[in-house]
């Protein structure tokens, strides 16, 4: 029986049509600006996100780390970020190691904090001034990953941006699943991302590409980002081979994210009806379903034995993520196996 892989939307495999686009890509040396496919992708993402320029990078983690390094200067500077967000839990301590950042977690609902939450984090932790770290950067994750794929309300994002400006702080948008927020909210990407000093978009999550992300910002910022790209890995040379997948994804895999959202809601409703599951389906807004069971390790192990894969975090929390490799039949089988296991 076919595997139902709900471990993450990073599990997607390129479709046959995407593979054809990859095979047909026109390529050149990206370090010299001579790869036309990569340049086309960078220009498109810059316009899509409402910024002057963009640079193609192998991963979203590199987008975060390079942006943080450019915003944070070593010497006790502070970044504010929601609890359990990606740079904190899944980037190997990169902000501290690469940027020397003092990281302050900002509490909020499902990974989303308010301007008041941010104000308290900036001013409520000590005497400040020469005694404390220098506040420098605010990071927002849209959608929230471990918050359950929630979409920050537009007014909440704007209030955080306004406060950051008032406090003289730079702002960075982790847009790993930004297009999920765009599809769920009906608000275009530039309206979400254009007010930030830097922002990025991932192609390897719900958009289904095998490699790559683009970091966007002012032209001078992206020139410096290229310098850091050079330092920590260098050019990818004929990167149009993989940039072509990003272009194909933007053309063909954005609107279909609504299908993933619908399947996630159906999965959530079915799971919520099972004994032992703690889940409010109303909180599922995009493609991530996080719920609790009495023993998450035993539950996911039993699922995997029947070729249904989910991930678990801690003793009770389980995460399931829908994507283009999981169809309606896959959701039906996941629910049937979950019911049997529970």
């Amino acid at each position: 029986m076919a595997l139902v892989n709900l471990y993450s939307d990073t599990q997607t495999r390129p479709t046959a049509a995407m593979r054809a686009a990859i095979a047909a890509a026109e390529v050149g040396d990206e370090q010299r600006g001579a790869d036309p496919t990569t340049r086309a992708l960078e220009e498109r993402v810059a316009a899509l996100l409402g910024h002057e320029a963009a640079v193609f990078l192998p991963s979203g983690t590199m987008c975060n780390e390079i942006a943080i390094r450019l915003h944070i200067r070593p010497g006790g500077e502070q970044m504010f970020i929601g609890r359990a967000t990606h740079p904190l839990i899944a980037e190997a301590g990169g902000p501290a190691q690469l940027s020397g950042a003092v990281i302050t977690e900002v509490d909020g609902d499902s990974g989303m904090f308010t301007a008041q939450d941010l104000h308290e984090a900036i001013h409520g932790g000590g005497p400040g001034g020469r005694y404390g770290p220098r506040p420098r950067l605010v990071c927002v994750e849209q959608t929230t990953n471990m918050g359950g794929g929630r979409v920050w309300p537009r007014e909440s994002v704007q209030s955080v941006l306004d406060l950051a400006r008032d406090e003289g702080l730079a702002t960075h948008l982790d847009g790993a699943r930004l297009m999920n927020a765009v599809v769920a909210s009906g608000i275009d990407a530039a309206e979400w991302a254009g007010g930030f000093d830097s922002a990025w978009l991932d192609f390897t999550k719900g958009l289904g590409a095998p490699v790559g992300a683009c970091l966007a910002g002012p032209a001078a910022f992206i020139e410096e980002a290229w310098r850091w790209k050079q330092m920590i890995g260098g050019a990818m040379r004929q990167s149009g081979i993989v940039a072509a997948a990003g272009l194909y994804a933007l053309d063909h895999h954005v609107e279909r994210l609504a299908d993933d959202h619908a399947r996630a809601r159906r999965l959530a409703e079915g799971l919520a009806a099972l004994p032992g599951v703690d889940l409010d389906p109303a909180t599922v807004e995009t493609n991530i379903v996080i719920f609790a069971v009495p023993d998450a390790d035993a539950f996911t192990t039993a699922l995997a034995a029947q070729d249904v894969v989910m991930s678990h975090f801690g003793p009770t929390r389980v995460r399931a993520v829908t994507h283009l490799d999981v169809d309606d039949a896959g959701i039906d089988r996941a629910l049937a196996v979950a019911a049997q296991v529970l």
Side-chain angles (χ1 to χ4, degrees):
M1 194 168 287
L3 178 71
V4 181
N5 193 342
L6 294 161
Y7 183 87
S8 173
D9 44 7
T10 60
Q11 306 299 293
T12 55
R13 296 161 296 179
T15 63
M18 181 180 283
R19 289 174 185 267
I22 291 170
E26 186 179 359
V27 299
D29 185 352
E30 74 154 9
Q31 192 174 52
R32 296 175 55 240
D35 190 299
T37 306
T38 299
R39 291 188 65 176
L41 180 61
E42 291 169 340
E43 291 168 2
R44 182 160 176 188
V45 169
L48 180 68
L49 300 187
H51 285 277
E52 289 183 339
V55 58
F56 184 52
L57 294 165
S59 72
T61 293
M62 286 184 69
C63 291
N64 272 339
E65 292 304 327
I66 288 175
I68 292 168
R69 180 60 185 82
L70 292 178
H71 291 305
I72 293 279
R73 296 174 298 190
E77 295 196 339
Q78 186 177 23
M79 62 180 283
F80 300 90
I81 191 166
R83 190 174 299 279
T85 47
H86 199 272
L88 280 173
I89 67 171
E91 297 185 10
Q97 173 64 24
L98 299 175
S99 303
V102 176
I103 303 171
T104 297
E105 297 181 1
V106 185
D107 287 322
D109 178 37
S110 301
M112 301 174 288
F113 50 85
T114 66
Q116 182 61 37
D117 295 328
L118 177 59
H119 186 273
E120 291 176 2
I122 295 170
H123 297 287
R130 70 178 66 176
Y131 301 101
R134 179 180 290 117
R136 182 63 69 182
L137 175 66
V138 179
C139 296
V140 166
E141 184 184 62
Q142 179 74 299
T143 63
T144 64
N145 181 0
M146 298 309 298
R150 301 291 297 277
V151 179
W152 284 63
R154 183 67 187 92
E155 59 275 13
S156 180
V157 172
Q158 189 58 54
S159 67
V160 166
L161 289 173
D162 291 343
L163 178 63
R165 296 289 184 268
D166 291 343
E167 297 283 350
L169 307 181
T171 55
H172 172 67
L173 178 66
D174 177 337
R177 295 178 176 86
L178 178 61
M179 300 314 292
N180 290 92
V182 168
V183 169
S185 68
I187 298 172
D188 69 37
E191 188 170 345
W192 284 119
F196 287 82
D197 293 307
S198 58
W200 63 274
L201 179 66
D202 201 297
F203 306 113
T204 70
K205 307 282 194 309
L207 297 182
V211 179
C214 268
L215 173 64
F221 180 91
I222 295 303
E223 186 63 32
E224 281 299 298
W226 238 112
R227 180 176 177 83
W228 275 90
K229 176 181 178 178
Q230 186 69 26
M231 276 195 280
I232 64 178
M236 294 184 285
R237 300 304 178 187
Q238 286 73 35
S239 57
I241 290 289
V242 283
L247 286 170
Y248 182 90
L250 290 175
D251 286 336
H252 300 282
H253 288 172
V254 173
E255 291 183 2
R256 64 146 309 280
L257 291 172
D259 298 334
D260 296 342
H261 300 172
R263 289 176 180 130
R265 285 190 294 273
R266 191 160 68 84
L267 178 66
E269 290 164 358
L271 288 169
L274 297 178
V277 172
D278 183 7
L279 168 62
D280 179 1
T283 64
V284 177
E285 298 174 348
T286 56
N287 68 322
I288 300 176
V289 181
I290 294 181
F291 58 99
V293 293
D295 187 334
D297 180 59
F299 176 71
T300 55
T301 298
L303 291 182
Q306 298 192 55
D307 291 330
V308 175
V309 182
M310 299 181 188
S311 59
H312 73 275
F313 301 88
T316 63
R317 293 183 83 208
V318 179
R319 188 182 75 155
V321 187
T322 56
H323 51 80
L324 61 83
D325 284 358
V326 177
D327 57 13
D328 289 332
I331 298 300
D332 291 339
R333 193 155 77 84
L335 287 171
V337 173
Q340 177 186 341
V341 166
L342 288 168

